[in-house]
C-alpha cells in the first residue's frame, strides 16, 4: 500500500524518471529532494529558459517541486524568436502553462534576429541568450537553467566533428558555465517526454525539429540512428562521455591561456597599443568611462612564439573577442599566427567582427623603445 496524505488520500507514487530528474537538478543546485526542507527567508531566484517544448517544460515542472519546498523561487523566460507564424501565441501558451505550475515571475521576451551571415540558428541563439542575460540581470536571478539533454550533447559533438572543430567545440555544452546550468545533460530525450506524460504536461512540438533542411535535424534523424545500427547501441552516450572528457581538457587549456593573456595583453583605447598596467582589466570587470573597452591590444611576439600552439591560438582568440569580435575561425587564427614567422606580409590579417592583426615590418623605422616594437597588434576598426 502506498502512503497517505494528511487528508487521508493515497499519495501518488513518484514516477522514477521524475525522481531521477529531481535528483539531477537538486545535485546541481545543492538542494535535497527528500526530508525536511530548510526554511529560507529570502530564497534565491532561478529562471528556466523555456520554449514550451518537452525538454524545457519537463525541467520547469521538476524545478517547480523545489519552489514548493520553499528553498528557491523559480521563474521562467519564454523567448519568442518570431521565426514562425503564430510564434507569439505559442509563447503565450507556454507562459500560461508555466504559471499553472506555480512559476513566478514568467516573462515573455520578443526578439528581433540580426543575421550577419552566421545563419538563422546562430542568430536565434545569440538573440535568445541576450534576452536571457538581460532578464536575469533585471530580475536579480542567481542562475538560469536550460533543458538540453544527452541527445543534444551527442548532436553537438557530431556537428563539431563535421566542421573540423577544436577541443572547445567538441567538448559540447558544459553542465555549468557562468550563471547557466544544464542539469539534464545525462537525461535522454525520451525521458523528458516520459516526464511530461507522468506530470500530464502539454508540450509544444516545434515543427522545425522535423525539417531536414536543418543540419542538426539530419544528424538527429539520420546520422545518429545510422551510427547506432552500424556501431551498436550506446553511441549517443559515448559521444556525450567524450564531450565530458574533452570539456575538462578544454577548461584547463582555457584557464592556462587566460593567465598567459593577462600577462601579455597591452591594451590601449587610442591608436597605439599601450603597455599600461592601469589599463589592464581583471577578468569579469565591465568596461566603463574609467575603464573603457580597448581599441588596440598588443602582444609581445617573442612571448607568443614561446607558447605551445594550443595556448598561442587561444591567446590570439581572447584578444579578438575582447576587442568586440567573435571567435575567429581556425584558418583566420592561423593566418594571424603566421605573422609571427616574419616571412612575407606584415598584415593586416582580418579576423572577425572588424578586428584585424598585423606586425611592425622590419622595413619600417620604429624605435626599439616604441610600444609597438616587437609586438603583434590587434585593432578594432570603427
Amino acid at each position: 500500500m502506498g502512503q497517505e496524505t494528511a487528508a487521508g488520500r493515497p499519495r501518488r507514487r513518484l514516477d522514477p524518471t521524475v525522481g531521477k530528474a529531481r535528483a539531477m537538478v537538486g545535485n546541481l543546485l545543492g538542494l535535497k529532494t527528500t526530508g525536511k526542507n530548510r526554511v529560507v527567508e529570502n530564497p534565491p531566484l532561478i529562471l528556466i529558459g523555456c520554449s514550451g517544448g518537452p525538454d524545457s517544460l519537463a525541467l520547469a515542472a521538476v524545478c517547480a517541486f523545489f519552489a514548493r519546498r520553499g528553498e528557491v523561487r523559480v521563474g521562467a523566460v519564454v523567448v519568442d524568436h518570431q521565426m514562425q507564424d503564430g510564434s507569439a501565441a505559442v509563447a503565450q501558451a507556454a507562459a500560461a502553462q508555466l504559471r499553472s505550475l506555480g512559476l513566478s515571475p514568467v516573462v515573455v521576451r520578443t526578439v528581433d534576429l540580426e543575421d550577419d551571415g552566421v545563419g538563422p540558428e546562430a542568430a536565434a541563439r545569440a538573440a535568445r541568450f541576450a534576452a536571457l542575460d538581460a532578464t536575469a540581470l533585471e530580475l536579480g536571478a542567481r542562475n538560469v537553467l536550460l533543458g538540453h539533454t544527452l541527445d543534444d550533447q551527442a548532436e553537438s559533438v557530431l556537428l563539431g566533428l563535421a566542421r573540423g572543430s577544436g577541443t572547445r567545440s567538441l567538448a559540447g555544452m558544459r553542465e555549468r558555465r557562468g550563471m547557466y546550468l544544464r542539469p539534464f545533460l545525462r537525461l535522454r530525450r525520451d525521458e523528458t517526454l516520459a516526464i511530461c506524460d507522468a506530470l500530464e504536461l502539454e508540450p509544444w512540438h516545434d515543427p522545425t525539429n522535423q525539417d531536414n533542411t536543418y543540419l542538426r535535424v539530419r544528424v538527429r534523424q539520420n546520422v545518429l540512428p545510422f551510427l547506432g545500427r552500424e556501431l551498436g547501441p550506446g553511441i549517443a552516450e559515448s559521444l556525450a562521455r567524450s564531450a565530458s572528457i574533452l570539456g575538462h581538457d578544454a577548461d584547463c587549456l582555457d584557464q592556462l591561456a587566460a593567465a598567459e593573456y593577462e600577462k601579455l595583453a597591452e591594451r590601449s583605447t587610442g591608436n597605439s597599443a599601450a603597455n599600461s598596467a592601469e589599463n589592464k582589466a581583471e577578468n569579469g570587470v565591465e568596461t566603463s568611462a574609467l575603464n573603457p573597452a580597448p581599441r588596440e591590444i598588443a602582444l609581445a611576439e617573442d612571448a607568443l612564439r614561446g607558447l605551445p600552439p594550443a595556448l598561442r591560438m587561444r591567446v590570439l582568440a581572447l584578444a579578438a573577442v575582447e576587442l568586440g569580435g567573435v571567435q575567429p575561425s581556425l584558418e583566420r587564427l592561423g593566418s594571424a599566427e603566421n605573422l609571427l614567422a616574419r616571412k612575407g606580409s606584415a598584415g593586416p590579417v582580418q579576423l572577425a567582427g572588424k578586428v584585424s592583426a598585423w606586425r611592425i615590418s622590419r622595413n619600417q623605422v620604429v624605435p626599439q623603445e616604441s610600444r609597438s616594437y616587437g609586438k603583434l597588434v590587434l585593432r578594432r576598426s570603427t
Side-chain angles (χ1 to χ4, degrees), residues 49-198:
C50 186
S51 65
D55 301 339
S56 58
L57 188 60
L59 176 60
V62 168
C63 290
F65 164 79
F66 294 98
R68 291 192 294 273
R69 287 175 62 86
E71 295 181 64
V72 291
R73 292 181 295 129
V74 180
V77 185
V78 181
V79 180
D80 175 12
H81 301 88
Q82 304 185 87
M83 296 178 68
Q84 303 171 27
D85 292 338
S87 64
V90 170
Q92 291 299 332
Q97 191 164 191
L98 292 166
R99 293 186 184 102
S100 72
L101 291 171
L103 273 62
S104 179
V106 176
V107 179
V108 176
R109 296 290 195 204
T110 302
V111 297
D112 296 311
L113 304 190
E114 296 182 7
D115 186 354
D116 296 329
V118 297
E121 289 179 280
R125 182 181 186 278
R128 179 167 61 254
F129 274 95
L132 293 173
D133 287 346
T135 308
L137 180 64
E138 176 185 323
L139 298 177
R142 186 181 71 181
N143 293 108
V144 178
L145 275 62
L146 304 174
H148 297 106
T149 65
L150 184 148
D151 297 270
D152 295 310
Q153 186 77 297
E155 292 160 14
S156 295
V157 174
L158 278 180
L159 288 168
L161 285 169
R163 290 191 297 265
S165 300
T167 312
R168 172 52 65 196
S169 181
L170 295 180
M173 297 170 286
R174 305 299 288 149
E175 189 174 58
R176 184 187 298 271
R177 183 168 293 282
M179 69 174 174
Y180 288 98
L181 305 178
R182 294 179 171 91
F184 282 1
L185 286 181
R186 288 175 285 113
L187 203 67
R188 298 301 303 267
R189 188 171 289 131
D190 58 359
E191 291 179 297
T192 62
L193 286 167
I195 292 171
C196 289
D197 287 342

Side-chain angles (χ1 to χ4, degrees), residues 99-314:
R99 293 186 184 102
S100 72
L101 291 171
L103 273 62
S104 179
V106 176
V107 179
V108 176
R109 296 290 195 204
T110 302
V111 297
D112 296 311
L113 304 190
E114 296 182 7
D115 186 354
D116 296 329
V118 297
E121 289 179 280
R125 182 181 186 278
R128 179 167 61 254
F129 274 95
L132 293 173
D133 287 346
T135 308
L137 180 64
E138 176 185 323
L139 298 177
R142 186 181 71 181
N143 293 108
V144 178
L145 275 62
L146 304 174
H148 297 106
T149 65
L150 184 148
D151 297 270
D152 295 310
Q153 186 77 297
E155 292 160 14
S156 295
V157 174
L158 278 180
L159 288 168
L161 285 169
R163 290 191 297 265
S165 300
T167 312
R168 172 52 65 196
S169 181
L170 295 180
M173 297 170 286
R174 305 299 288 149
E175 189 174 58
R176 184 187 298 271
R177 183 168 293 282
M179 69 174 174
Y180 288 98
L181 305 178
R182 294 179 171 91
F184 282 1
L185 286 181
R186 288 175 285 113
L187 203 67
R188 298 301 303 267
R189 188 171 289 131
D190 58 359
E191 291 179 297
T192 62
L193 286 167
I195 292 171
C196 289
D197 287 342
L199 300 181
E200 300 179 352
L201 306 174
E202 297 180 6
W204 171 66
H205 295 279
D206 187 348
T208 63
N209 287 333
Q210 305 299 320
D211 187 350
N212 272 315
T213 60
Y214 291 99
L215 180 57
R216 183 177 286 272
V217 174
R218 297 199 298 275
V219 167
R220 179 180 304 162
Q221 295 187 342
N222 303 328
V223 178
L224 275 170
F226 171 80
L227 291 176
R229 290 192 301 270
E230 296 298 316
L231 300 179
I235 187 65
E237 288 86 351
S238 296
L239 289 167
R241 186 164 56 250
S242 293
S244 178
I245 295 168
L246 287 168
H248 295 307
D249 293 347
D251 288 345
C252 179
L253 288 169
D254 287 347
Q255 290 171 10
L256 293 172
E260 293 295 334
Y261 178 62
E262 285 305 312
K263 294 177 188 176
L264 298 179
E266 301 174 8
R267 301 169 174 89
S268 172
T269 57
N271 292 325
S272 62
N275 185 11
S276 173
E278 60 266 27
N279 277 343
K280 289 193 174 184
E282 297 293 336
N283 284 338
V285 176
E286 297 180 2
T287 59
S288 65
L290 296 178
N291 186 24
R295 185 183 173 194
E296 283 186 6
I297 295 175
L299 304 166
E301 291 185 38
D302 287 342
L304 276 176
R305 291 191 197 96
L307 293 177
L311 297 185
R312 185 163 58 242
M313 299 290 257
R314 281 171 166 79

